[in-house]
Amino acid sequence: MQRKNLTRQNTEQHIYNHVIEKTRELLTRTNLSVSEIAFELRVYFPQSLNKLFKNKTGATPLHYRNSFN
């Protein structure tokens, strides 16, 4: 079975959702910078992670992290 049939997401959406979830986890559980998180998740341009995160969650990674402090 193709992944889209199981999750109703194409491969790109599935990867993006995984990156967002891991970013949320790292933002709340570590003191890593957004650049370090991007590198850890193999997103080689931190600004791309910022843009993706904001598009998917409505908040920048730093704003998301600060909402927990």
Side-chain angles (χ1 to χ4, degrees), residues 10-45:
N10 65 34
T11 302
E12 185 177 86
Q13 291 168 326
H14 185 73
I15 291 168
Y16 287 164
N17 287 338
H18 178 74
V19 167
I20 294 301
E21 288 306 311
K22 291 301 288 181
T23 300
R24 284 180 172 158
E25 178 184 328
L26 292 169
L27 286 168
T28 57
R29 294 185 180 181
T30 72
N31 290 323
L32 294 173
S33 70
V34 175
S35 294
E36 291 169 325
I37 291 171
F39 184 77
E40 177 98 7
L41 298 177
R42 295 190 165 92
V43 178
Y44 296 109
F45 298 102

Side-chain angles (χ1 to χ4, degrees), residues 41 43 46 51-52 54 56:
L41 298 177
V43 178
K51 184 177 179 181
L52 174 65
K54 186 168 184 175
K56 295 288 187 179

Side-chain angles (χ1 to χ4, degrees), residues 2-11 13-14:
Q2 294 178 343
R3 171 145 326 265
K4 189 170 185 174
N5 290 338
L6 294 174
T7 64
R8 302 203 189 282
Q9 297 176 347
N10 65 34
T11 302
Q13 291 168 326
H14 185 73

